[in-house]
Structure formats: structure tokens, C-alpha cells
Amino acid sequence: MLKKIIIKNINSIKSCELNFDKGKFEYGQNNIFDDVVNPIAIYGLNGSGKTSFFSAIEQFNMLMFNPPEFLAPFVVNNILFLKYHHRKSNDVSHISGSIEFFLEINGKKYDYFIQTTRDKIFYISHEKLSIDGKNIFDKHADLVTVQKTYLTQSPLIPHLRKLVANKITDADIQLVYTYLCSFVNVNLNTNVVANPKPIVASPIFSVANLFDLLVDKSSEIKETLKEYKDFPIYTFHKQAKTPIANGNVLNYTVNIEDGDFNFDLPLNMISSGMLNMGLLLCILLAVPEGATLFIDEMDKALHPTAIRSFIEIAQKRKIQLVFSSHNTNIMQYLRPDQIYFAKWRKGFSNYYRLSEIYPNIRNVNNIEKMYLNCVFDEALDNDK
């Protein structure tokens, strides 16, 4: 169970804390997963920093499973980065980014922290893991130390990952690593038809061709689509031979049903919305129970009438869901402790929990209407 995420100095983020603990609200109990709220939704204007959060998660995922030669440190805020390299600051924190996860698994509390630094050499400058407040390891490194071992070992391989690779039998080490690797970050801004792999950052899907996954999960996707109103039913298939058509993608086709209409189309000829929707549904159906799914701009793949059903499926499968959206309709289904606002100010993005900036909100209040009428703007502006 993911309890909290703290991100510092990654992308446009100055400091971000997403807390999943439930607040003292008596309504919306269907959005409670044990003692955390699910899902978490992030709203904000264009350029406010929503994507920065999901990019930070993706960069963390890459550190956990990418080959050593492709490892990269967190991308830090460019304003602070330039201050350091133009010698306007000697603060090494300006070129260091960090992310910390607070987990609770089987009654134990885990705290995993990792910080990377973009100096002359890219390296992990601090990494620690604690269980129930007791340190399992706490590793620090500086540029001088890293330079001595730079040619013999990668300074960007997390110590946690090394322990697992060395087949350490410690059950807690294995459990934390497995849990962190269950994070699935979905990027719907890539060209899925040209290359389906970059859409997902997770070792769960590191090998599988997502088109094959679409075919494998097609019957389940079909049953899910039947629950949506005014949507055509479509299934994915892989052909042994290239179909005769204007084009095809690896011999994958889509069968579309709409009443008495039934027709096959090459995969690259269906709308991007249908394809993204199918991909998102198959990813949701394929991730293991207890995984955490991060989706930037979920409304890019799901129509407003489909988002509610998607969330319900995630809740039934006990999958924690964090998403960003411009679709305010979903706010009517959420509690104030499930909604965060991203706001960019003077070069940095900050994140505010609705239940904290507007604590007097009640069940009778229409959150969507209040948001669209800029009721919360004063509370955000007052938080300097």
C-alpha cells in the first residue's frame, strides 16, 4: 500500500507531497482502500506541473530496471541547475533531485529514499531504506568518492537493486523492490502505432508487445466496453497473413461491432482515442492486484462517461490509481482528500491538497462548480 510520495527538485517540481491517508470525511466510502483514498487526481492549468510529477515517477522506474548503460539521474529544475553551473550558487542540492516513497505492506512500514546528483559525473548521492523506523541501509556518496570507482562500477545503480541482483535472501528487501517495480507509469503522449513500448514505463511490460497484450486481453476489454453507453464494441486480433487494406501494423486488426454493423480494420486505421482506450483498459486488466498505476492526462484516452467505470475496475482490483486530468466531471465522484492542484509560480511547481487548503468543504458543496468558478484560487494564491 502506497501511503505517501515526496518529490524534490525534479523537473519543474520544487517540492511535492502526495499523501494517500484518508481525511475525516464520512462520505465517499467507496473511495477508501483500507486506510488510504483511491484514486488520487491531480488538476491544474496547462504548464502547472502535472506532467512533471508523472515524469518523475517514470525516471524513478527507469533507475529500477533499465540496463546500466541507459541509467540517468533525475532531471532537476533548470533554474537551479543553471545557478549552480554558472557559479551563482555552490549549493549542491541545486543539482540534486530526490524521491521518497512511504509504503505499508503486511503491517510493516517502509520508507525508501533515493537522490541523484548531476555533477561532472552523474551519481546516486543518497539512498536509504528503513523498516518500522529502523535503518536497513543508509548510503551517502560525494563526487570525490564516486570518481575513484567510476570506471569499475556504475554510480547510478541503486543499492536496493544491487542487493536484489546479488540474490540477497532478506524478505523485506525483495518485497520492497518487487513493490516499487509494480509501479506502472502510462504516457499517452507517445506515438503508440509507431512504437507501443514507450507508452509504459514498468518492468511488468518491459518485454511484452502491447499489441499482443491487446489481443490477449481483448475478450475482457469487450466485456468492459459493454458497460459503457453509446460506445461501439471492438476486439483486437492478430492475423497470420497481412490483410488487404490501405495499411496495417504488424498484422493486427480491430473488429468493430455496432448493432448489425461488423467490420475489420487494420490497427493503424482506428482512431487514436479508441486505441488509447483499448491500451489503457488492457494495461489495467494486466497489472497485478496491489499495483500502482500512474496515468498522465487520463481523459486523453477515456471519454467522461468511461472514466467512472475505469476507476471502479481499478478499485475492484485493489489497484491504486494516480492520474491527472482536465476533465472536471470526475470531481463529483471524489472526496476533497483525493484532489490535488498543481500550480506553477516563478519557475517552480507546487502541489496542494484540496482538503488542506479548503478544510471547511462539505459533502453538499459542488467541488467541480467551485473549481470552475475559481473559488479555490485565493487559497492557492495565499500559499506563497
Side-chain angles (χ1 to χ4, degrees):
M1 177 100 37
L2 183 57
K3 303 281 286 188
K4 185 165 63 174
I5 305 173
I6 297 177
I7 301 173
K8 292 184 178 180
N9 195 27
I10 301 180
N11 302 321
S12 68
I13 298 171
K14 184 175 184 179
S15 180
C16 166
E17 180 176 319
L18 256 63
N19 194 326
F20 294 71
D21 284 340
K22 64 180 181 181
K24 296 179 180 180
F25 300 96
E26 298 300 326
Y27 57 93
Q29 294 301 309
N30 57 313
N31 291 338
I32 303 299
F33 176 24
D34 286 346
D35 61 346
V36 301
V37 288
N38 185 44
I40 290 286
I42 303 175
Y43 287 90
L45 301 175
N46 291 331
S48 60
K50 299 185 301 296
T51 297
S52 285
F53 171 84
F54 295 93
S55 175
I57 298 296
E58 181 176 6
Q59 292 172 52
F60 170 78
N61 286 349
M62 296 304 184
L63 280 173
M64 287 293 113
F65 69 86
N66 256 11
E69 62 270 24
F70 296 116
L71 295 179
F74 295 123
V75 176
V76 298
N77 183 278
N78 200 52
I79 295 172
L80 296 181
F81 178 82
L82 292 177
K83 277 185 179 180
Y84 183 88
H85 282 279
H86 289 164
R87 298 297 182 263
K88 294 182 180 179
S89 169
N90 293 319
D91 189 349
V92 72
S93 68
H94 286 186
I95 54 172
S96 301
S98 67
I99 188 165
E100 186 170 12
F101 297 100
F102 297 83
L103 319 170
E104 188 169 316
I105 312 172
N106 299 332
K108 291 184 177 180
K109 295 181 179 180
Y110 300 85
D111 177 359
Y112 178 72
F113 173 90
I114 185 167
Q115 174 183 275
T116 67
T117 298
R118 286 178 167 263
D119 213 329
K120 297 175 183 177
I121 296 173
F122 299 160
Y123 62 97
I124 294 174
S125 46
H126 188 196
E127 182 184 4
K128 67 177 181 179
L129 172 66
S130 67
I131 302 175
D132 290 333
K134 180 182 178 182
N135 277 347
I136 303 303
F137 62 80
D138 191 348
K139 300 282 185 179
H140 292 264
D142 56 31
L143 181 61
V144 175
T145 303
V146 171
Q147 284 177 322
K148 294 178 181 178
T149 60
Y150 176 68
L151 296 178
T152 58
Q153 61 184 33
S154 172
L156 281 172
I157 300 178
H159 184 66
L160 177 64
R161 181 174 166 177
K162 291 177 185 177
L163 292 176
V164 173
N166 291 333
K167 298 182 179 180
I168 299 296
T169 56
D170 187 291
D172 287 314
I173 295 289
Q174 297 287 344
L175 185 63
V176 170
Y177 181 75
T178 300
Y179 186 89
L180 293 174
C181 285
S182 75
F183 293 167
V184 179
N185 191 76
V186 182
N187 181 359
L188 295 171
N189 296 311
T190 59
N191 187 338
V192 180
V193 173
N195 189 349
K197 289 186 179 180
I199 189 175
V200 180
S202 168
I204 299 174
F205 301 100
S206 61
V207 177
N209 183 312
L210 287 181
F211 294 148
D212 287 336
L213 189 62
L214 276 172
V215 174
D216 182 58
K217 295 293 180 181
S218 194
S219 60
E220 294 178 67
I221 293 172
K222 181 177 180 178
E223 292 304 309
T224 302
L225 289 172
K226 288 180 179 179
E227 300 178 14
Y228 299 161
K229 295 180 180 179
D230 301 322
F231 273 84
I233 304 300
Y234 52 98
T235 51
F236 299 88
H237 305 274
K238 189 173 184 178
Q239 307 296 321
K241 296 182 179 179
T242 303
I244 299 174
N246 294 329
N248 73 290
V249 178
L250 301 177
N251 299 342
Y252 295 91
T253 61
V254 180
N255 178 260
I256 302 175
E257 304 174 35
D258 186 8
D260 58 357
F261 176 84
N262 191 303
F263 192 75
D264 287 334
L265 281 175
L267 186 62
N268 65 335
M269 294 188 69
I270 68 169
S271 72
S272 59
M274 288 179 69
L275 180 56
N276 282 337
M277 184 180 189
L279 283 167
L280 205 52
L281 285 172
C282 85
I283 291 168
L284 176 64
L285 295 168
V287 296
E289 183 178 298
T292 304
L293 188 56
F294 299 88
I295 308 172
D296 190 16
E297 296 187 38
M298 190 165 73
D299 50 310
K300 200 166 187 176
L302 299 176
H303 187 272
T305 58
I307 290 177
R308 180 59 181 161
S309 294
F310 185 86
I311 290 174
E312 288 175 351
I313 295 171
Q315 291 172 332
K316 288 176 183 177
R317 290 176 55 82
K318 297 183 178 179
I319 294 169
Q320 286 184 269
L321 177 63
V322 182
F323 68 89
S324 71
S325 178
H326 289 291
N327 175 16
T328 59
N329 176 263
I330 194 60
M331 285 182 171
Q332 64 183 300
Y333 303 114
L334 302 178
R335 297 155 45 109
D337 50 5
Q338 292 181 269
I339 298 172
Y340 278 82
F341 298 122
K343 187 174 181 65
W344 185 91
R345 185 185 289 117
K346 297 181 179 179
F348 300 97
S349 297
N350 293 282
Y351 302 77
Y352 305 93
R353 198 177 196 181
L354 175 56
S355 58
E356 294 177 357
I357 65 167
Y358 210 90
N360 294 324
I361 199 163
R362 296 292 182 265
N363 187 26
V364 294
N365 295 128
N366 187 321
I367 296 176
E368 179 186 18
K369 186 176 180 179
M370 294 172 73
Y371 175 67
L372 293 176
N373 286 311
C374 305
V375 172
F376 307 127
D377 286 6
E378 184 179 353
L380 292 172
D381 291 336
N382 289 338
D383 197 319
K384 300 297 184 182

